[in-house]
Amino acid sequence: MPIYLIRSAHETIGNDAMREIAGDITDIHCAVTGAPREFVHVFFLPIESVDMGSVAMLASIRSGRTDAQKAELRQGVIASFAHRATVTGSNLAISIVETPASWVMEGGDIFPEPGEEAEWLAAHAQAKAARETAS
């Protein structure tokens, strides 16, 4: 569920840096929220019509995260971009929006509330196996 969409000019972030930043964001999100790694999705959207060096990120995360957690996510992302792509905070726009888990579906199942991931993963695996057996 957490979806991180990152928009920048083609040359701002190299391919290696994109892989490293995606890994960093996944690590940061999981460390801060306790979410499983397989829940985190990071997408880079290189476009032509933005200033070189400018990066915008929209993060959609499950509702229920604290202000402290959101601040920690922002600070971690800022540090990753500074380290991996030499993009400074002044060239980085970050928006974090919260989405109720009940509004999200992944793998054919409504997403779990924070703290209910283990049960959801077990039920999701069983449902997926049943669907594959029925096919």
Side-chain angles (χ1 to χ4, degrees):
M1 149 69 203
I3 298 173
Y4 290 83
L5 301 173
I6 301 156
R7 185 189 71 170
S8 66
H10 285 286
E11 299 81 21
T12 300
I13 306 170
N15 290 335
D16 290 341
M18 283 187 217
R19 278 189 293 280
E20 292 168 344
I21 291 166
D24 289 347
I25 289 172
T26 301
D27 292 343
I28 293 161
H29 188 91
C30 294
V32 171
T33 68
R37 293 183 70 74
E38 58 264 35
F39 283 10
V40 182
H41 305 284
V42 180
F43 300 97
F44 288 86
L45 308 168
I47 58 175
E48 299 292 334
S49 62
V50 296
D51 294 335
M52 182 63 175
S54 175
V55 175
M57 184 187 82
L58 173 63
S60 176
I61 63 173
R62 281 183 287 172
S63 297
R65 307 303 185 187
T66 66
D67 288 344
Q69 285 175 309
K70 290 180 271 189
E72 194 172 345
L73 288 171
R74 275 191 304 276
Q75 291 306 314
V77 167
I78 291 168
S80 177
F81 275 97
H83 177 70
R84 306 287 189 189
T86 62
V87 174
T88 63
S90 63
N91 291 328
L92 183 59
I94 298 175
S95 295
I96 297 177
V97 297
E98 295 181 274
T99 304
S102 64
W103 291 7
V104 179
M105 183 188 301
E106 187 161 323
D109 295 320
I110 299 298
F111 221 64
E113 294 296 329
E116 298 175 359
E117 294 89 355
E119 297 87 359
W120 185 90
L121 286 168
H124 181 73
Q126 288 176 342
K128 182 179 177 185
R131 286 190 298 267
E132 290 172 355
T133 301
S135 297

